[in-house]
Amino acid sequence: MQVSVIVLAAGQGTRMNSDTPKVLHQVAAAPLLHHALNLAHRLEPARIVTVTGHGGEAVAASASAYSEAVETVVQDPQLGTAHAVAQAAPLLEGIEGEAIVLYADTPLIREETLRAMLEARAKHAVVILGFDAKDPGRYGRLLTRGDELLAIREYKDATEEERAITLCNSGVLCADTKTLLSLVAEVENDNAAGEYYLTDIVELARSRGLSAGVVLCDEAETLGVNTRAQLAEAEAAFQARARAEALENGVTLTAPDTVFFALDTYIGRDAVIGPNVLFGPGVTVESGAEIKGFCHLEGCHISRGATVGPFARLRPGAELAEDVHVGNFVEIKNAILDEGVKVGHLTYLGDAHVGEHSNIGAGTVTCNYDGVMKHRTVIGKRAFIGSDTMLVAPVTVGDGALTGSGSVITEDVPAEAVAIGRARQVTKPGLATRMFEKLKSIKAAKAKGQA
Ligand code: UD1
Ligand code: CA
């Protein structure tokens, strides 16, 4: 079955009290918009159209950053949800199959829920996603009779009796694409808000002899973000769900409540994640890897059998091959560590390649930045970088080479060589004792002067 998705993202989001368009605020290290696009993507849709308005250019840029395949249209001015859908019509003309409307500010809808809606299309021409609201507030109310949805009444237009209904409209809907577009074209704005309500298509469909129905979901799924408080609530709900899914998929989380996932985090089976680990965007952890406590990971790949942390920071472009060990207070950025590399302590590796089974001593730094440009450090296989080596890039250390502790390496080191780049030690017998005695007498003389 072919599906197209229309994502409504034109709203202003005044209550966020922000210069940033609402749908670009983040949950799980991704803009709200990307949550909707990610959900849409899972249906392998023929088309995804995002309707932008407020902050249109930034929102459109964010949509194409998610995927080149996402198309955008501008809705200006914003005259209501039906008007928003109508803007997508030129892009969807002649497209067969189902159309689903999503809101970009509603990040918790599940794929299964959309699939249930697509299935319900066998019975109804228009399928609405509804929920039973604890506090129905200003949501549109669903007026039903048995299995039939008769109308959606917006709060502003509802009678007292209708306002007492707790069955509410989530905003998500599904219909045949052509039918949806022809229905929204007929919507008028003679209502309390003077807006073109998408919700009016239910009554319009019925007047054509078509039926409408409701698929229900949990209220938690339809949480819409209008305020910073709701943004925090959505974050908490996303994390709770991601933790449960990780556990379900065979990942060990020793303290699940302290682990934070990004929208696109991927963790393989039998991986072990310690307490207080934060995943930024773009992290994949293969089966059986271990991330110990207090690590901060972003844009990196960790292979099978690797161990990371505690207290490690992996930044974009960090690639750890199998059985790599990265220990405490190590930062890695844009660096490939081949199989079996060990970086145990207090090290920065940036813009580097480390060959298999090399050992990087404590306190090693790749000096990759000259104040203007970045340079690469290349370390061969089975090399031994002594503690506190400064590798001033661009520089290469050959296979099996060794650098002396405390060296500042500014020239390439050939394979199997030893390079020492530090001042020779000078030792003066008895000098320490004489120095301390002198210092003590200076201190005593000063104290006497003050008395
Ligand atoms: C809408 C529904 C209401 C439902 C509620 C659920 C209508 C008329 N009402 O009301 O039944 O209970 O959502 O949250 O549809 N948007 C545009 N262009 C516009 C107007 C809105 O793109 O001109 C977008 C917004 O960015 C947002 C979504 O559509 O993503 C919903 O708009 P909003 O104004 O929040 O609708 P509600 O009044 O909450
Ligand atoms: Ca709303």
Side-chain angles (χ1 to χ4, degrees), residues 77-96:
Q78 288 91 41
L79 302 178
T81 45
H83 179 251
V85 172
Q87 307 310 301
L91 290 175
L92 294 175
E93 204 145 340
I95 302 281
E96 302 285 328

Side-chain angles (χ1 to χ4, degrees), residues 127-395:
V127 175
I128 299 286
L129 182 62
F131 63 101
D132 196 35
K134 259 189 235 91
D135 170 18
R138 304 181 69 83
Y139 285 118
R141 306 299 204 265
L142 302 184
L143 313 188
T144 54
R145 188 174 56 214
D147 189 33
E148 290 275 309
L149 175 62
L150 305 178
I152 305 176
R153 192 73 73 236
E154 287 307 297
Y155 177 82
K156 279 188 184 170
D157 303 287
T159 63
E160 279 310 310
E161 272 153 42
E162 288 167 340
R163 287 181 180 179
I165 295 169
T166 58
L167 192 60
C168 291
N169 174 30
S170 70
V172 178
L173 66 80
C174 177
D176 168 73
T177 307
K178 281 201 187 98
T179 309
L180 175 67
L181 295 178
S182 80
L183 288 169
V184 295
E186 278 180 32
V187 171
E188 299 196 21
N189 67 347
D190 48 355
N191 52 52
E195 281 182 18
Y196 296 87
Y197 290 162
L198 181 56
T199 45
D200 280 356
I201 69 165
V202 170
E203 281 167 290
L204 287 170
R206 289 182 62 81
S207 72
R208 289 189 193 177
L210 300 171
S211 82
V214 180
V215 163
L216 287 178
C217 73
D218 195 272
E219 184 170 6
E221 247 182 87
T222 68
L223 173 68
V225 174
N226 300 298
T227 62
R228 304 269 182 170
Q230 286 168 334
L231 187 71
E233 225 179 292
E235 179 74 49
F238 177 94
Q239 296 303 339
R241 191 187 280 180
R243 289 162 190 153
E245 275 173 15
L247 295 169
E248 185 72 22
N249 294 341
V251 176
T252 294
L253 304 176
T254 52
D257 290 349
T258 67
V259 176
F260 292 83
F261 296 97
L263 176 60
D264 62 356
T265 306
Y266 172 81
I267 301 181
R269 218 176 126 193
D270 287 322
V272 177
I273 314 295
N276 295 291
V277 173
L278 190 141
F279 293 95
V283 179
T284 51
V285 179
E286 284 184 20
S287 295
E290 182 175 5
I291 315 295
K292 296 182 182 175
F294 300 93
C295 288
H296 194 293
L297 315 180
E298 173 180 9
C300 60
H301 175 82
I302 297 159
S303 304
R304 236 165 230 279
T307 57
V308 176
F311 299 100
R313 177 166 183 215
L314 302 190
R315 293 171 52 204
E319 290 270 345
L320 277 50
E322 292 187 14
D323 302 322
V324 163
H325 167 63
V326 169
N328 45 265
F329 307 108
V330 171
E331 174 179 342
I332 297 177
K333 182 216 78 171
N334 188 30
I336 297 171
L337 277 53
D338 288 344
E339 194 178 326
V341 165
K342 289 189 167 52
V343 193
H345 349 251
L346 298 161
T347 290
Y348 172 61
L349 296 179
D351 304 309
H353 186 163
V354 183
E356 59 188 46
H357 301 292
S358 284
N359 188 93
I360 310 295
T364 296
V365 174
T366 53
C367 310
N368 59 329
Y369 186 47
D370 60 17
V372 180
M373 287 176 292
K374 297 279 170 69
H375 303 282
R376 283 184 68 72
T377 299
V378 178
I379 297 170
K381 302 173 188 172
R382 294 175 201 280
F384 185 94
I385 305 299
S387 292
D388 196 31
T389 297
M390 300 292 119
L391 295 157
V392 182
V395 72

